Amino acid sequence: MSPSIGFAIVGSGHVSRYHHTAIKALAYRGARLVAVATRDPANATDIQDRYQVPALGFADICRHPGVAVVAVCTPSGDHAAKTIAAARAGKHVIVEKPMAVTTADAEQMISECATHQRLLAVAFQRRTQPLFKQLKRLVDEGALGTPLMASLVLPYQRNRAYFEAAPWRGTWGQDGGGVLMNQGIHLIDLLVWLWGNPVTVEALTARRLHQIETEDTAAVLLGFANGALATITATTAVSPGFSHRLELFGTQGGVRIEGDAVVDCRLAEGDGLAAMAGAEDADTAWSEGGKAAGHIALYTNFIDALERGVPLVCDGRQGQRSLSLIEQIYSVAEPKTLASPPPA
């Protein structure tokens, strides 16, 4: 029987349910939920009924001797303060994406966790998905040849109710940005994971539909040190919304993925479709955990890191990469003052 590892979840929004599911799924590894933090005492009864653990204030979570790991699932603008306080209290941290809303905050989070010798993991769970792990292997092995061009297309839809349900969404202070920082960051993380950090950035952003502070539409051009180019086009204003697309092309082949399906994979050497089909088959088993499959994989890795010192799937330094790129995009985006929404 594995030794018990006490977890606390800070925040009770939708994503916290994935963390709860992951902790329950890993009970055989000793994972147990000790408490959930809430800022609103009026929610305490509902939280205790839902999670079957005490609802505590964050300060009490930090003082709790049974809590070894804190999962930070609060609005993005609160991630840094909660992570730093938890690390100073001797807790390891799993933080939702984006890890912070500025790279300066992210640096402090990384520094504090290192100073107190605490693990810091960022919830970019798509890195655990067999489909993208296989794509990473193809890229690392040079199966696509020299990188030429990549494309991310994110034609999402978020309605008014989505923003009204959580007023922090679409704000600079608490969301850190719009479609790029909130909805697009998972695919942007995959791009830098696969290809590295770009060296040049050009961008246009706009607020085309939603009554929010930040962008709901963006077009980005990236240049890499090896001469490769990539584009990112993203929006939350499309109706009814479509699956995202990721395409990578090199001198020896290319891959086109839509949603979680391989549309095409051709290689100069070997059967690309067969290689990616195997990854899709593995995806079927991976997704048995439902929407929490990626979080279950992240928590499995986190426990392995605690017990055996294995590398984290996405540590703080890795998690900072997409945040840094998005911050660069915002710094160069034109127009600086976003367009007003069209008349209703």
Side-chain angles (χ1 to χ4, degrees):
M1 181 71 178
S2 297
S4 177
I5 305 172
F7 288 83
I9 298 173
V10 180
S12 56
H14 182 73
V15 76
S16 68
R17 298 172 188 260
Y18 299 153
H19 291 258
H20 185 212
T21 298
I23 293 166
K24 289 193 297 181
L26 291 164
Y28 75 98
R29 295 287 305 273
R32 65 185 180 93
L33 184 63
V34 174
V36 175
T38 177
R39 291 182 297 178
D40 186 354
N43 293 333
T45 300
D46 175 66
I47 288 171
Q48 289 174 170
D49 289 344
R50 186 196 310 173
Y51 295 101
Q52 296 297 297
V53 295
L56 304 176
F58 177 68
D60 292 324
I61 292 285
C62 288
R63 287 191 292 263
H64 199 300
V67 173
V69 186
V70 171
V72 178
C73 305
T74 58
S76 304
D78 200 35
H79 287 179
K82 291 291 190 291
T83 296
I84 291 166
R88 289 174 176 173
K91 314 301 183 185
H92 302 286
V93 179
I94 302 173
V95 62
E96 266 299 323
K97 62 79 186 171
M99 63 183 293
V101 296
T102 69
T103 55
D105 281 348
E107 283 288 352
Q108 189 175 0
M109 294 162 70
I110 294 167
S111 175
E112 290 287 348
C113 287
T115 296
H116 296 282
Q117 298 182 316
R118 300 296 91 185
L119 293 181
L120 172 60
V122 184
F124 281 119
Q125 66 271 15
R126 282 196 175 273
R127 292 188 180 207
T128 72
Q129 192 169 343
L131 180 67
F132 295 111
K133 288 169 68 176
Q134 174 63 2
L135 180 54
K136 173 71 168 166
R137 281 193 289 270
L138 290 179
V139 171
D140 289 349
E141 292 169 0
L144 303 184
T146 302
L148 292 175
M149 67 178 189
S151 172
L152 298 182
V153 181
L154 314 171
Y156 297 148
Q157 191 264 346
R158 297 292 186 273
N159 58 24
R160 180 179 295 179
Y162 168 84
F163 292 100
E164 291 178 347
W168 63 271
R169 292 171 176 158
T171 65
W172 290 112
Q174 286 294 292
D175 212 355
V179 62
L180 295 174
M181 186 68 87
N182 190 317
Q183 292 78 28
I185 196 167
H186 276 294
L187 273 292
I188 294 172
D189 172 69
L190 288 179
L191 180 61
V192 296
W193 184 51
L194 292 164
W195 266 18
N197 299 326
V199 294
T200 63
V201 179
E202 299 177 41
L204 297 170
T205 59
R207 186 171 60 241
R208 298 284 297 140
L209 178 64
H210 300 302
Q211 299 281 353
I212 57 177
E213 294 178 3
T214 61
E215 90 289 353
D216 63 19
T217 304
V220 182
L221 174 62
L222 305 175
F224 294 80
N226 59 11
L229 300 176
T231 60
I232 303 169
T233 51
T235 186
T236 53
V238 168
S239 183
F242 299 85
S243 297
H244 53 248
R245 301 197 304 276
L246 167 61
E247 300 179 344
L248 291 180
F249 299 100
T251 55
Q252 298 295 313
V255 182
R256 298 171 58 218
I257 295 171
E258 184 165 351
D260 294 322
V262 177
V263 176
D264 199 2
C265 180
R266 295 184 231 174
L267 304 175
E269 297 182 11
D271 189 336
L273 278 175
M276 295 305 292
E280 285 187 295
D281 291 341
D283 257 10
T284 301
W286 176 85
S287 63
E288 286 179 357
K291 291 184 177 180
H295 283 80
I296 293 171
L298 286 176
Y299 271 73
T300 300
N301 168 250
F302 196 88
I303 292 173
D304 287 342
L306 280 175
E307 294 182 346
R308 299 190 285 112
V310 305
L312 291 168
V313 167
C314 187
D315 62 14
R317 188 60 65 192
Q318 281 286 313
Q320 185 191 34
R321 294 173 69 186
S322 52
L323 170 62
S324 178
L325 173 54
I326 293 170
E327 196 171 65
Q328 285 181 268
I329 292 170
Y330 289 150
S331 73
V332 302
E334 295 290 349
K336 293 293 192 299
T337 302
L338 302 174
S340 298

